[in-house]
Amino acid sequence: MKRFVLTFAAVMNLLLVDQVVKTSAIAKLKDAPPVTVWDGLFNLAYVENRGCAWGLMQGHVWPLAIFAILAMGFVIWKRRAIFPSGVWGVVAELTLYAGILGNLVDRLWLGHVVDMFDFHWGVHHFPCFNVADVYINIAAGLLILTSFFGKKEPTAHDPA
C-alpha cells in the first residue's frame, strides 16, 4: 500500500507540472504569435493536436483515449516485466504513467492535446510537443538504456 501511495503522489505531482505548463500555454500563447526563445531553434507556440504523435489520426479523440486507457492498464498489469528494479526503473515507470495521463486528461477535457514546444533548424521542423510527451520519451529512453546497461537479475536458469 505504501508503494501505491508514493507512486500515486509522484505521478500526480508530475501530472500537475504538465497541466500547469499547458494551462499557461493556453493563457499566454493561444491566439498569439509564437514566442522566440532561441532564434532559429526554439519557439513557444500554441498548437491543438487533435491526433497523436506527429499529428496522426487527426480527429479520433475517443479511439486515442481508449487506447491510452488500455495501454495504461496493460503497463500496470505487466509493470514487473516491463520496468527494471532500481531507481531508473522507478523513474521510467513514474514518467510513463504521468505522460500517458497528461495527454489523456487533455483529450478527455479539451478534445485535443495542447502542445507548445516548437523546435526547428533551418527548413527542418520537429513536430510540436509538450511536457507529457517529454515524460514518455524519458521513460522510453530509460527503458532502452537500462536494457543495455542495467544489471540483469539472475533467474533460476542462470548459472551462479
Side-chain angles (χ1 to χ4, degrees):
M1 183 65 162
K2 180 181 175 183
R3 179 182 166 84
F4 172 79
V5 170
L6 291 174
T7 299
F8 181 80
V11 170
M12 289 301 106
N13 279 297
L14 291 169
L15 179 60
L16 179 64
V17 170
D18 173 68
Q19 292 300 302
V20 166
V21 170
K22 289 174 179 173
T23 301
S24 297
I26 293 168
K28 303 285 184 184
L29 299 172
K30 189 174 182 179
D31 301 323
V35 175
T36 301
V37 176
W38 187 340
D39 193 32
L41 182 65
F42 177 52
N43 296 329
L44 293 173
Y46 177 82
V47 175
E48 293 179 358
N49 185 349
R50 297 180 185 282
C52 58
W54 300 283
L56 300 172
M57 294 186 63
Q58 288 292 316
H60 294 89
V61 173
W62 286 107
L64 290 169
I66 291 167
F67 177 77
I69 293 166
L70 293 173
M72 183 81 145
F74 178 80
V75 169
I76 291 169
W77 176 48
K78 291 292 194 179
R79 62 175 286 283
R80 287 193 174 108
I82 295 170
F83 301 105
S85 61
V87 67
W88 298 118
V90 171
V91 173
E93 183 178 2
L94 298 175
T95 56
L96 184 60
Y97 295 157
I100 292 170
L101 288 173
N103 286 335
L104 179 61
V105 166
D106 283 12
R107 281 196 180 90
L108 295 177
W109 267 261
L110 302 173
H112 59 270
V113 173
V114 174
D115 291 329
M116 74 289 303
F117 302 131
D118 181 31
F119 283 89
H120 48 88
W121 183 277
V123 296
H124 305 288
H125 192 258
F126 191 79
C128 224
F129 59 97
N130 60 45
V131 174
D133 298 332
V134 172
Y135 293 158
I136 292 168
N137 281 283
I138 288 170
L142 287 173
L143 288 172
I144 291 167
L145 287 173
T146 56
S147 74
F148 288 119
F149 302 111
K151 278 178 41 178
K152 184 180 177 220
E153 296 293 323
T155 65
H157 303 293
D158 290 338

